[in-house]
């Protein structure tokens, strides 16, 4: 018989969880500062450190994001940790966040994955950017921060009904970042669908759509 790991419900476990969240938030902020300074490699490194810190606490990844893309990609450094729902502290005791802590952990992970997608785009790592943005969208769906998350399994091949979706700014940013990656990967139809979710009234979205149209025209010549 295998030996089960004891679950710690003491204040010490809560303190360790909170300390991990604080460390992860600090790494994310360091990444944000580096990104604003144009140091995208340093930003990428710090964003990946968030997954290192939170990895054993992050929920299991959902199967699909809002648009139906079920990519389980992401680079190996992040993938190593993303599917571990529980974790063990240094004493070998399982740490279990409560519901509110779990949501906070998953939201921090999602927002950092979206930022990592932006850094990857800047570094021309488009496959990685697509995977990270998809991870962010899957976790935003899990958190049910948008009414759209209640709609089951919209396939990527279906045109989104914009009037029925009310996405948050965070979700729109993730869709836009994935669209940028999809554009550079030559997945123009998928990019256009992501841009519809990102918001047609946004100037950056219109600029990206114009870029795709220019690329399509160039290819047809």
């Amino acid at each position: 018989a295998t030996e089960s790991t004891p679950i710690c419900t003491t204040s010490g476990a809560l303190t360790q969880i909170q300390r991990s969240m604080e460390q992860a938030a600090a790494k994310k902020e360091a990444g944000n500062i580096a990104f604003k300074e144009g140091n995208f490699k340093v930003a990428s490194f710090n964003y990946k450190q968030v997954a290192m810190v939170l990895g054993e606490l992050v929920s299991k990844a959902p199967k699909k994001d809002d648009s139906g893309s079920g990519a389980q990609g992401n680079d190996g450094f992040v993938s190593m940790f993303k599917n571990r729902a529980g974790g063990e502290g240094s004493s070998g005791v399982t740490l279990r966040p409560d519901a509110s802590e779990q949501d906070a952990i998953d939201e921090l992970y999602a927002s950092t994955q979206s930022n990592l997608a932006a850094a990857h785009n800047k570094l021309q790592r488009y496959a990685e950017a697509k995977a990270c943005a998809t991870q962010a969208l899957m976790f935003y769906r899990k958190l049910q921060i948008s009414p759209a998350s209640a709609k089951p399994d919209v396939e990527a091949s279906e045109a989104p009904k914009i009037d029925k979706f009310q996405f948050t700014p965070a979700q729109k940013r993730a869709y836009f970042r994935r669209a940028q990656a999809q554009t550079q990967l030559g997945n123009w139809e998928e990019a256009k669908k992501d841009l519809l979710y990102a918001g047609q009234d946004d100037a950056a979205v219109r600029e990206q759509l114009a870029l795709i149209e220019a690329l399509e025209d160039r290819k047809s010549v």
Side-chain angles (χ1 to χ4, degrees):
T2 59
E3 185 176 351
S4 61
T5 304
I7 296 176
C8 182
T9 58
T10 67
S11 59
L14 295 178
T15 300
Q16 187 166 344
I17 290 169
Q18 291 163 356
R19 183 164 57 249
S20 294
M21 292 171 67
E22 290 173 359
Q23 291 172 349
K27 290 293 184 181
K28 179 187 175 185
E29 181 58 24
N32 291 346
I33 292 171
F35 190 96
K36 290 175 183 177
E37 293 175 347
N39 198 336
F40 305 120
K41 286 186 178 180
V42 172
S44 173
F45 176 80
N46 278 286
Y47 292 145
K48 289 177 181 180
Q49 289 293 306
V50 173
M52 284 284 291
V53 175
L54 291 182
E56 63 181 12
L57 299 173
V58 174
S59 296
K60 289 183 179 178
K63 296 296 184 184
K64 294 185 178 182
D65 65 66
D66 299 288
S67 67
S69 293
Q72 290 293 323
N74 223 335
D75 58 16
F77 192 83
V78 178
S79 298
M80 200 178 351
F81 299 96
K82 67 178 179 164
N83 286 324
R84 295 173 64 186
E88 293 185 6
S90 59
S91 62
V93 176
T94 297
L95 305 179
R96 295 288 174 83
D98 62 28
S100 62
E101 286 175 329
Q102 192 65 67
D103 282 351
I105 289 165
D106 291 346
E107 194 282 329
L108 178 56
Y109 177 78
S111 62
T112 305
Q113 287 294 292
S114 180
N115 289 358
L116 181 55
H120 280 317
N121 275 329
K122 292 290 187 180
L123 294 167
Q124 300 182 2
R125 300 170 180 167
Y126 301 117
E128 291 91 339
K130 174 186 172 183
C132 289
T134 298
Q135 277 287 296
L137 289 165
M138 288 192 292
F139 273 84
Y140 284 137
R141 177 186 176 111
K142 174 191 173 295
L143 290 164
Q144 297 183 330
I145 60 175
S146 165
S149 63
K151 184 177 177 61
D153 297 349
V154 176
E155 294 300 328
S157 60
E158 296 180 17
K161 297 184 172 93
I162 301 302
D163 59 330
K164 293 189 177 180
F165 291 102
Q166 301 270 331
F167 290 119
T168 67
Q171 286 173 300
K172 289 179 180 180
R173 284 192 294 272
Y175 273 115
F176 180 74
R177 290 161 180 171
R178 190 168 72 175
Q180 288 179 305
Q182 296 274 39
T183 300
Q184 297 301 326
L185 291 169
N187 304 327
W188 297 331
E189 291 304 314
E190 289 83 356
K192 285 189 280 188
K193 288 165 187 172
D194 279 347
L195 289 171
L196 289 175
Y197 286 114
Q200 293 173 298
D201 296 331
D202 188 276
V205 170
R206 294 195 298 271
E207 182 178 340
Q208 191 70 21
L209 282 168
L211 172 61
I212 294 170
E213 291 173 0
L215 290 170
E216 289 175 328
D217 290 343
R218 189 182 307 167
K219 184 177 180 180
S220 63
V221 173

